[in-house]
């Protein structure tokens, strides 16, 4: 049976990288004796995959991993068991069962919500007034195109990231943005903020921002489209693709 | 969630911030309101190395079981953070509470290898604790050292308040009680150290004076405080199945060197190899019983979620219930996705059978440690492995499908001749030839033999403690002899030969048998910027050479000079149970090429029977 697990990664856990979080969950499976399936061969490994890697320094309220289990108890029981063995800052939020032929989280991922704010003491002087920040940010986000220079190994090219920004909202100096995420289109919130700073002729420092991923979405669309309205209408939090195990 | 000692900016700009944030699975948390003794336990190397050390896990668990005691951990900050902490004047902190080490009652440092000595000074310095013990104030933590290198504490004597001789499970309770008592009575630091000096196994180096002869050797070594004992006796655990063992070891987030459950199956070794310090100072062999280990294996796997379990001991093949234990682990855990990692075992039908069960034969290799290239020299060092055993073992393994062999040797052993060195090449060749005896259609491609040699460093409390050690030039010319001979071998294309760095070996030799005069060399090397000397990328031999010169140390005195058996050695005041008479006998046996049987075959009267247990009393109950 395919099972999807949603978890939060908070506080100091932001310093633990993606690969180590994968190893962490492999050990969670063993500590909680969740009946996860193993691959064949001399060095069997757990059948487990993660939705979208989260960069070091970011926290999250909406991370996902899929596992294949030989048997399950109930969502409630599995959440309880895992949370009893979690470290401070990690919390399992939901466990749902998926259809056997369901696509895995990694291939479903289409968008994510991010909460972006300036780290204390790092807010640029020109944005100290939250109203100014709001006006300037909205002006920026509503521009025709948002071009950034994308560096590849061989060349630099200009890319318009605006089609990958699905929605934004700014209140009290805190910016919330829904961005394209996944293997075909992927936009990091840092890049949006960098473009915003560039547009205002200021540079974005390495430690200026505190970012939290709030939710990761999958899409029910069968085909790719550039129609933002259409994309938004077909987004669903990844645990919405499964059902509670009772 | 704990507030961290380091800012986000620092943590996000250094390598592996997970080294410094604590919060690992099974980390112990205590309310400081209920704590009256705070102990910081330090492994003076980088986190991934320190977290892999079983001894720290045992002591962390033991201390935290004590009411009112909170044991936290601290490791050497890597060089990137080291530079930032110095620049920004950030004090070194413990992982659990992130509090400065200076606020603790004790700083315990395990001294596992000589090349970590400058890291000890790094830890003290970053903690803002005076490096010299006698300069510490009432507010500074008590700095206590233990571990294998404590068996010659003299090159570190200036830096520690107390050294602990022997196994940590034994007298720490008494020490903590003495500390509480002293605190209650408003006693001073010095009064506490006097109390500590009265406890068996504890050595307070500032309570001893050393006088030297004109030639630099020790004239006398005498207590200058009435509480200090003439002789410090090693402490050890006698019942290995009724003692503290960590059921819930810490699980690091980042991959540590040992990312697995470690079951310590026994302590000590029956073999009596004459170069081996561990084989002498951990005597007598004491086994843990099978049921204890089975129970621990369950609990530790369950509590950590590790995917691998390994066995730890010297000469694991000598553990009397090895077969039962290994078969249990395979039957019980193999099907649950747990890897069984075997220690190097004597190659025989049993070990080949279990090896083929737990590892992919095509990818794994056989390991032999003949240590010396000829039978004559193997007799000198009392390494019981014969050429016949090696060739037969390799042959059995080759027939079963193995085609990779690792061989470990030492160069520079006492009495070594050119023939002995060339024997390394000849033995490698014979193993290769044995492989090609197998018909072509039945063998698994080419054989790969990797022979490695390290340089012999005489260690305290071994029969070779008096021996002359080679200079680095001699070492390198010996490696050349072997390498040249390798090139003459018929199967040279199947054999690869590696040798160890000679610079580090020389320094290790100095620190291993150094006396108190070497303290100032260690200090000077640290002042010149040496840290992480065991890491190739950070080791700076020129700085060490400068420190040696500036502190007037004569390397020949410490390294190449053969000691007279009547000389007072810097570590003679320690009683490991193994008598000096036995070591002298063994030194003579070595030179006469006489072998000494292992403890199970025949007792050779080394002296450790006085501890009243272990292999000395097997079959006598």
């Amino acid at each position: 049976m395919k099972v999807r697990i949603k978890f939060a990664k908070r506080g100091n856990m932001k310093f633990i990288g993606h690969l180590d979080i994968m190893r962490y969950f492999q050990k969670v499976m063993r500590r909680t004796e969740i009946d996860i399936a193993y691959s064949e061969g001399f060095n069997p490994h757990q059948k487990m995959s993660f939705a979208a890697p989260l960069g070091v320094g970011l926290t999250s309220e909406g991370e996902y991993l899929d596992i294949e289990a030989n048997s399950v108890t109930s969502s409630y029981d599995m959440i309880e068991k895992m949370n009893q063995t979690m470290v401070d800052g990690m919390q399992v939020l939901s466990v749902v069962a998926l259809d056997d032929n369901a696509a895995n989280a990694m291939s479903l991922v289409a968008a994510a919500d991010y909460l972006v704010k300036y780290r204390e003491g790092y807010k640029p002087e020109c944005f100290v007034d939250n109203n100014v920040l709001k006006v300037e940010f909205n002006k920026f986000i509503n521009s025709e195109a948002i071009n950034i220079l994308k560096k590849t190994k061989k060349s630099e090219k200009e890319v318009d990231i605006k089609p990958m920004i699905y929605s934004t909202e700014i209140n009290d100096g805190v910016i919330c943005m829904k961005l394209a995420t996944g293997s075909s289109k992927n936009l990091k919130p840092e890049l949006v903020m960098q473009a915003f700073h560039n547009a205002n002729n200021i540079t974005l420092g390495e430690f200026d921002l505190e970012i939290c991923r709030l939710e990761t979405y999958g899409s029910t669309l069968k085909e790719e489209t550039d129609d933002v309205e259409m994309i938004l209408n077909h987004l669903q939090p990844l645990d919405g693709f499964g059902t509670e195990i009772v | 969630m704990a507030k961290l000692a380091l800012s986000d900016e620092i943590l996000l700009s250094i390598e592996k911030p997970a080294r410094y944030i604590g919060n690992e699975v099974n980390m112990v948390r205590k309310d400081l309101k209920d704590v009256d003794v705070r102990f910081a336990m330090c492994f003076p190397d980088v986190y991934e190395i320190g977290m892999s050390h079983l001894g720290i896990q045992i002591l962390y668990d033991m201390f935290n079981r004590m009411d009112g005691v909170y044991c936290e951990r601290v490791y050497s900050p890597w060089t990137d953070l080291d530079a930032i902490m110095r620049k920004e004047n950030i004090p070194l902190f413990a992982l659990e509470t992130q509090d400065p080490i200076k606020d603790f009652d004790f700083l315990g440092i395990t001294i596992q290898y000589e090349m970590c000595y400058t890291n000890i000074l790094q830890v003290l310095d970053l903690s803002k604790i005076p490096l010299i013990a006698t300069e510490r104030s009432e507010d500074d933590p008590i700095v206590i050292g233990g571990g294998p290198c404590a068996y010659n504490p003299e090159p570190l004597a200036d830096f520690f308040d107390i050294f602990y001789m022997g196994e940590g499970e034994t007298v720490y309770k008494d020490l903590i009680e003495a500390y509480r008592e002293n605190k209650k009575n408003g006693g001073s630091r010095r009064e506490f150290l006097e109390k500590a000096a009265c406890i068996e196994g504890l050595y307070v180096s500032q309570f001893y004076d050393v006088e030297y002869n004109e030639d630099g050797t020790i004239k006398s070594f005498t207590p200058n405080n009435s509480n200090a004992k003439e002789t410090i006796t090693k402490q050890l655990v006698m019942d290995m199945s009724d003692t503290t063992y960590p059921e819930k070891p810490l699980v690091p987030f980042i991959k540590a060197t040992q990312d697995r459950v470690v079951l310590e199956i026994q302590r000590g070794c029956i073999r009596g190899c004459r170069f081996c310090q561990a084989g002498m100072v951990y005597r007598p062999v004491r086994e843990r019983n099978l049921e204890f280990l089975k129970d621990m294996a369950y609990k530790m796997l369950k509590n950590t979620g590790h995917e691998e379990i390994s066995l730890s001991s010297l000469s694991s093949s000598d553990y009397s219930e090895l077969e039962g234990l290994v078969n249990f682990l395979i039957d019980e855990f193999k099907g649950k996705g747990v890897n069984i990692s075997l220690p190097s075992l004597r190659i025989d039908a049993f070990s080949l059978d279990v090896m083929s069960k737990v590892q992919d034969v095509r990818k794994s290799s056989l390991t032999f440690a003949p240590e010396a290239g000829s039978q004559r020299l193997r007799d000198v060092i009392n390494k019981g492995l014969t050429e016949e055993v090696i060739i037969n073992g390799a042959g059995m393994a080759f027939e079963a499908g193995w085609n990779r062999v690792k061989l470990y040797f030492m160069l520079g052993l006492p009495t070594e001749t050119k023939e002995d060195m060339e024997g390394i090449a000849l033995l490698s060749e014979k193993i290769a030839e044995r492989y090609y005896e197998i018909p072509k259609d039945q063998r698994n491609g080419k054989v790969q033999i990797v022979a490695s040699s390290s340089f012999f460093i005489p260690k305290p409390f071994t029969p070779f403690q008096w021996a002359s050690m080679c200079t680095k030039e001699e070492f390198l010319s010996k490696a050349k002899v072997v390498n040249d001979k390798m090139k003459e071998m018929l199967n040279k294309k199947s054999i690869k030969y590696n040798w160890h760095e000679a610079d580090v070996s020389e320094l290790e030799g100095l620190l291993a048998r150094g006396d108190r005069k070497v303290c100032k060399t260690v200090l000077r090397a640290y002042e010149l910027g040496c840290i992480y000397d065991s890491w190739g990328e950070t080791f700076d031999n020129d700085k060490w050479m400068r420190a040696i010169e500036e502190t007037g140390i004569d390397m020949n005195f410490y390294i190449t000079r053969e000691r007279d058996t009547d000389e007072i050695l810097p570590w003679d005041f320690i009683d490991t149970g193994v008598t000096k008479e036995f070591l002298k006998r063994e030194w003579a046996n070595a030179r006469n090429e006489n072998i000494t049987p292992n403890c199970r075959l025949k007792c050779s009267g080394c002296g450790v029977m006085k501890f009243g247990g272990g292999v000395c009393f097997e079959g006598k109950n």
Side-chain angles (χ1 to χ4, degrees), chain B residues 120-134:
Chain B
I120 293 172
L121 298 185
Q122 176 214 21
V123 166
L124 292 172
D125 201 9
L126 290 178
S127 302
K128 303 184 188 298
I129 298 171
L131 301 183
I132 307 298
T134 50

Side-chain angles (χ1 to χ4, degrees), chain B residues 441-472:
Chain B
D441 56 328
Q442 286 164 38
R443 63 190 191 224
N444 186 7
K446 274 190 159 178
V447 70
Q448 294 173 41
I449 296 171
V450 180
S452 308
S453 67
S454 61
F455 296 120
F456 167 65
I457 299 163
K459 295 276 164 114
F461 293 109
T462 66
F464 291 163
Q465 64 178 354
W466 295 282
S468 162
M469 178 176 151
C470 299
T471 62
K472 68 183 158 203

Side-chain angles (χ1 to χ4, degrees), chain A residues 4-15:
Chain A
R4 181 159 297 156
I5 299 167
K6 179 182 187 181
F7 67 94
K9 184 184 175 191
R10 303 182 181 123
N12 298 341
M13 288 303 290
K14 68 177 173 231
F15 298 111

Side-chain angles (χ1 to χ4, degrees), chain A residues 164-188:
Chain A
M164 292 191 276
I165 304 173
Y166 296 152
S167 70
T168 61
E169 207 185 306
I170 171 162
N171 284 309
D172 302 325
V174 179
I175 305 162
C176 193
M177 46 179 102
K178 195 183 291 294
L179 306 177
T181 308
S183 46
S184 58
K185 285 186 285 185
N186 193 57
L187 181 61
K188 290 182 173 177

Side-chain angles (χ1 to χ4, degrees), chain B residues 249-432:
Chain B
L250 288 145
V251 186
F253 292 114
I254 51 175
K255 225 171 157 37
T257 316
Q258 286 256 27
D259 184 33
R260 52 184 79 91
V261 165
V262 181
L263 273 187
E264 187 194 32
I265 58 178
Q266 62 185 355
R267 273 187 206 160
C269 179
I270 59 171
R271 296 277 148 185
C273 296
R274 291 178 183 134
F275 54 84
C276 180
Q277 188 188 40
M280 295 293 161
V281 298
Y282 298 144
R283 284 179 174 220
V285 165
R286 290 145 293 150
E287 297 191 339
R288 293 192 199 267
N289 81 42
L290 185 57
E291 293 312 311
F292 175 88
L293 293 171
K294 284 180 180 175
D295 183 45
M296 280 296 160
Y298 271 118
K299 286 179 176 155
M300 292 170 82
L301 283 168
K302 164 88 177 133
N303 291 332
T304 58
H306 278 312
E307 49 276 314
E308 190 166 321
I309 184 164
S310 72
L311 308 181
S312 163
S313 79
L314 299 165
S315 193
S316 302
S317 287
D318 293 327
Y319 175 60
S320 53
E321 309 216 56
L322 185 72
E323 206 163 327
L325 180 62
V326 170
N327 285 330
F328 164 80
L329 294 177
I330 293 172
D331 294 345
E332 200 61 33
F333 300 115
K334 187 80 182 106
K336 296 177 185 160
V338 175
N339 296 322
I340 321 288
S341 143
L342 294 172
S344 23
L345 297 175
R346 199 180 311 134
I347 303 299
D348 55 22
F350 161 71
S351 62
L352 289 175
D353 177 50
V354 296
M355 281 162 70
S356 66
K357 280 184 195 157
V358 303
Q359 41 189 244
D360 188 340
V361 171
R362 279 164 306 168
K363 287 182 190 150
S364 62
S365 59
L366 304 167
T367 305
F368 294 98
E371 308 293 359
S374 71
Q375 195 56 48
R376 187 201 72 80
L377 193 53
R378 282 194 292 274
D379 289 346
V380 169
I381 63 176
N382 204 40
K383 181 84 197 183
L385 201 55
T386 63
E387 184 173 303
E388 196 192 345
V389 168
I390 296 169
I391 302 288
N392 285 346
M396 276 165 76
F398 293 154
E399 313 263 352
W402 271 271
N403 65 349
R404 294 183 203 203
V405 181
K406 283 190 220 158
L407 299 170
Y408 292 104
F409 296 97
M410 271 188 278
L411 283 173
L413 288 162
T415 78
E416 183 183 58
T417 64
K418 194 166 177 230
E419 284 69 44
D420 299 321
M421 298 172 221
E422 291 181 341
I424 293 175
L426 296 172
L427 181 60
S428 307
E429 170 66 18
K430 278 181 195 156
I431 294 171

Side-chain angles (χ1 to χ4, degrees), chain A residues 5-9 13 18-32 34 36 46 48 50 63-65 67 82-83 86 90-93, chain B residues 305 307:
Chain A
I5 299 167
K6 179 182 187 181
F7 67 94
K9 184 184 175 191
M13 288 303 290
H18 178 64
L19 288 174
D20 293 323
I21 291 294
M22 290 171 68
R23 283 170 9 90
Y24 172 80
F25 269 98
Q26 288 163 7
K27 293 184 199 286
V28 168
M29 295 299 130
R30 292 197 164 84
R31 285 199 296 274
T32 51
I34 284 177
I36 191 169
Q46 296 178 348
M48 175 185 282
F50 282 70
E63 294 301 290
Y64 291 91
L65 71 141
I67 62 166
M82 284 192 270
N83 282 336
M86 284 288 135
M90 297 291 284
Q91 188 187 355
V92 172
L93 301 171
Chain B
E307 49 276 314

